[in-house]
Amino acid sequence: ATASAMGYGAVKYFDLRRNPTSNYIFSYDRMLDTKGNTAIYLLYAHARLESIIAKGKADFNVDVDELISSKKTKVVLGHKSERNLGLHLQFFADCIEETLKDLYPYHICDFVYALSNAASEFVTQCKVLGSEEMESRLLLCRATTLTMRQCFHLLGIRHVMRI
């Protein structure tokens, strides 16, 4: 199921991320690249965040869904990369408004790619698991995965939890 989701997602995303007024060059190599603006990269970024959330529950007994339902933990954006990720999450509504103006899905593709880059920078720069800020950072991971999933849904791409 994962390979199928990634394969179909790679082709769909490659088509949708292009501005329809630009030239199109079909390339499997570019579609399946693990780096850059591809569905493979985005699905990997999503799965990486989900893995961190799962390890938080398994290794530290911190359940993000319980944190959300209890409403006791606030997201604190103290580090530069936390603020950057939070800012990117705020752009989601603007992205949708822009997409509704001209109905070009490449706006969503550009947004989710930028969000994935911000998330990758965040997990590289900030220790999530075992840190003092772990609960806040796990909530930020969950907000990111939910936003990414919404983008995948709008683009017709199935998300994966593990790769």
Side-chain angles (χ1 to χ4, degrees):
T2 299
S4 175
M6 293 180 79
Y8 285 123
V11 175
K12 280 184 185 180
Y13 186 82
F14 191 77
D15 282 344
L16 295 174
R17 76 179 178 98
R18 300 258 180 242
N19 182 330
T21 61
S22 64
N23 290 336
Y24 182 89
I25 299 170
F26 186 87
S27 168
Y28 278 124
D29 291 336
R30 290 173 59 198
M31 281 181 202
L32 300 173
D33 195 354
T34 57
K35 295 182 175 109
N37 193 359
T38 65
I40 304 299
Y41 171 75
L42 300 175
L43 292 168
Y44 170 77
H46 177 269
R48 182 178 183 195
L49 292 173
E50 285 294 344
S51 174
I52 291 169
I53 292 167
K55 284 182 183 176
K57 185 174 182 177
D59 297 349
F60 296 92
N61 202 29
V62 177
D63 185 338
V64 176
D65 296 322
E66 288 178 12
L67 290 176
I68 293 168
S69 63
S70 74
K71 299 182 182 179
K72 291 181 181 175
T73 304
K74 295 185 179 197
V75 175
V76 178
L77 305 176
H79 190 275
K80 183 176 104 174
S81 65
E82 288 172 314
R83 289 189 298 274
N84 184 46
L85 181 54
L87 182 64
H88 276 81
L89 287 167
Q90 289 292 312
F91 290 146
F92 182 60
D94 295 335
C95 163
I96 297 304
E97 283 183 28
E98 190 66 28
T99 304
L100 290 173
K101 285 180 189 173
D102 60 16
L103 301 178
Y104 289 152
Y106 76 87
H107 300 296
I108 298 169
C109 296
D110 290 346
F111 167 78
V112 72
Y113 178 61
L115 181 64
S116 296
N117 285 332
S120 180
E121 178 188 324
F122 162 67
V123 296
T124 301
Q125 299 290 319
C126 296
K127 180 179 179 183
V128 176
L129 300 175
S131 68
E132 282 185 32
E133 305 88 352
M134 179 170 62
E135 290 183 355
S136 171
R137 289 178 175 173
L138 285 171
L139 286 171
L140 193 54
C141 287
R142 173 58 82 217
T144 304
T145 60
L146 291 174
T147 305
M148 290 177 78
R149 276 189 235 162
Q150 188 64 48
C151 292
F152 294 151
H153 177 74
L154 291 168
L155 296 170
I157 296 171
R158 284 187 299 156
H159 70 276
V160 295
M161 301 297 276
R162 296 177 65 195
I163 294 180

